[in-house]
Amino acid sequence: MRVLILADAFFATRERSLLSRLEVGLADEGARVLHAIPDDLPGAAANLVQGGVFSTTLRYRATTMRAARTAVARRLADTIRSLVEHQPGPFSASTAQRPLDVIHVFGGSAWPLGLDLARILSTRVALEVWRAGLVERAASPAGAHPDSTTLLAPDPAIERALRDAGARPYVAQAPWGVHVAPDDKPILPEGRARCVVIVGSGRDARAFAAALEGLVRAARQHPDMRVFCDAHAARRANLWNLAKRLDFLDRFSLIEEIESRRDLLLHADILVQPDAHGEQRSIVLDAFANSMLVVALLDPMVSVLTDNTTARLVRAPDPAEWASVVNDALTRPEATAAIARQAREFVRTQRRVSDHVRFVLGAYDEMAARPVA
């Protein structure tokens, strides 16, 4: 099987770990994997997404102009045909006509390019519906043919929403998976400063402001607490100015592309997610797997977040609620450790990488049984 993983800028950087795990798993099952990413990623981000021994990386020019996008798709198709022709293994006229079995698109901004490329190569396309905001668009994607398109839902809630929306293409569930750390790390160990990391898009400035103000209030009870935030989200939500007004700059730091810096991020004690827009983020699963406590705004479209079982949930974007939940988590380390252990067990048994790969391959196989328009 020949697969192209086509990622937009968001997935190419912030979800690189997820894509790497999937590509390795597909390669282990005998798939030949190509990986396409935008050519305008910043230097630091581009260095994070280079292909390795399990996939070959291609570059494409991201554009929203239809004529330009068609040209990009044609160039990408020519490059793929040439690569497949020169790969080891049998090459035939049918392979030249259809050099890929599946194009798997991660990121809504790359969907149009993926659909164009699928038409040019007469192949099948899988669209990853990673957030609730894509459901309506996914239910009837422009240019999609129902027999050659599958919608992959990483969460049962999104799968239900797609079916309720009357999605014309096929729908399959493929929950994301992570690797669990081999040993439990100490949870809120004594004698160490508390470290909190804020992740998310920052599109909901009110929700982010409420979370930061709540953390500032909690920090009054925990003077050793430090807060780190994704720089892009902070700029979008204007958090730096808020931290300045709250006289919190000495304990507030911004980190570029923090979700791609998992080696650093996963040493923190608490992961805070102020967004509640049905967005699936593998960093939440990685936090579970590394015995971090996740504190998040209640989100019915993210089923992995269960209050007092896998996470601590805030019911409303209110600073007082954020302060109360975070302060309670820090002052009751035994209860916090119990939740962190339950979350770790959840991903160990229900969100394994091998299961994600199995679900994806199952969807690919089901697609292969259908005719291509």
Side-chain angles (χ1 to χ4, degrees):
M1 177 176 286
R2 297 177 298 275
V3 180
L4 172 69
I5 302 294
L6 176 64
D8 68 4
F10 176 91
F11 270 87
T13 51
R14 301 191 183 201
E15 290 293 352
R16 181 56 202 158
S17 296
L18 169 75
L19 299 182
S20 293
R21 290 189 289 255
L22 177 59
E23 289 165 7
V24 170
L26 292 175
D28 283 346
E29 294 297 325
R32 297 179 182 177
V33 182
L34 302 176
H35 178 78
I37 59 174
D39 63 5
D40 60 350
L41 295 179
N47 291 335
L48 294 169
V49 296
Q50 297 299 319
V53 297
F54 297 101
S55 66
T56 300
T57 298
L58 311 177
R59 300 281 184 157
Y60 69 87
R61 182 166 64 89
T63 178
T64 57
M65 299 177 60
R66 182 175 180 82
R69 190 182 70 233
T70 300
V72 170
R74 287 175 179 155
R75 286 195 295 271
L76 196 53
D78 290 342
T79 301
I80 290 167
R81 289 191 184 102
S82 177
L83 281 172
V84 171
E85 180 179 357
H86 291 92
Q87 281 182 340
F91 185 80
S92 62
S94 61
T95 304
Q97 182 180 3
R98 187 178 296 161
L100 295 173
D101 296 294
V102 178
I103 299 170
H104 191 159
V105 189
F106 287 84
S109 64
W111 283 9
L113 176 61
L115 292 167
D116 284 352
L117 187 59
R119 282 193 296 272
I120 293 170
L121 296 177
S122 300
T123 194
R124 304 161 184 88
V125 61
L127 304 177
E128 193 81 16
V129 188
W130 70 281
R131 59 184 178 89
L134 291 172
V135 167
E136 183 176 350
R137 176 181 164 199
S140 183
H145 188 282
D147 287 333
S148 58
T149 305
T150 289
L151 304 176
L152 290 184
D155 191 285
I158 289 181
E159 181 191 21
R160 288 192 297 271
L162 285 168
R163 297 190 187 282
D164 290 344
R168 288 192 299 105
Y170 291 75
V171 177
Q173 189 180 148
W176 297 347
V178 296
H179 296 299
V180 176
D183 298 308
D184 283 329
K185 74 172 186 180
I187 302 169
L188 298 180
E190 294 183 4
R192 195 183 75 181
R194 301 304 176 213
C195 179
V196 178
V197 173
I198 306 174
V199 299
S201 68
R203 285 194 296 267
D204 190 341
R206 175 174 170 264
F208 266 72
L212 179 59
E213 186 173 344
L215 290 172
V216 171
R217 294 184 187 184
R220 294 169 186 160
Q221 309 300 319
H222 306 276
D224 61 347
M225 194 172 90
R226 299 292 183 270
V227 177
F228 299 85
C229 184
D230 179 82
H232 178 72
R235 285 192 290 267
R236 178 179 276 176
N238 199 28
L239 290 191
W240 187 259
N241 287 335
L242 176 60
K244 184 177 182 179
R245 289 198 303 271
L246 297 173
D247 194 25
F248 197 66
L249 290 182
D250 60 331
R251 290 197 268 171
F252 184 62
S253 301
L254 306 184
I255 299 179
E256 296 289 345
E257 302 291 353
I258 197 170
E259 289 185 55
S260 66
R261 303 285 305 278
R262 309 231 166 157
D263 55 333
L264 171 66
L265 189 155
L266 295 172
H267 288 290
D269 299 296
I270 296 177
L271 183 79
V272 164
Q273 181 169 285
D275 285 323
H277 300 292
E279 295 180 350
Q280 312 300 312
R281 303 183 104 84
S282 67
I283 188 59
V284 171
L285 299 177
D286 271 322
F288 289 172
N290 285 268
S291 302
M292 287 177 64
L293 177 70
V294 174
V295 181
L297 188 62
L298 176 66
D299 192 337
M301 298 298 290
V302 181
S303 63
V304 299
L305 296 172
T306 305
D307 197 22
N308 292 314
T309 300
T310 60
R312 292 293 307 272
L313 300 185
V314 176
R315 300 289 167 175
D318 177 77
E321 288 207 33
W322 278 104
S324 175
V325 171
V326 171
N327 185 57
D328 185 66
L330 292 175
T331 55
R332 294 198 302 132
E334 297 83 3
T336 295
I339 294 171
R341 284 192 292 267
Q342 288 170 175
R344 185 173 182 271
E345 182 64 12
F346 167 77
V347 294
R348 190 188 69 80
T349 58
Q350 300 185 47
R351 288 304 186 97
R352 295 173 295 195
V353 174
S354 58
D355 289 337
H356 181 213
V357 173
R358 176 171 57 83
F359 278 117
V360 169
L361 283 172
Y364 291 173
D365 290 340
E366 194 276 333
M367 294 170 71
R370 292 185 249 131
V372 178

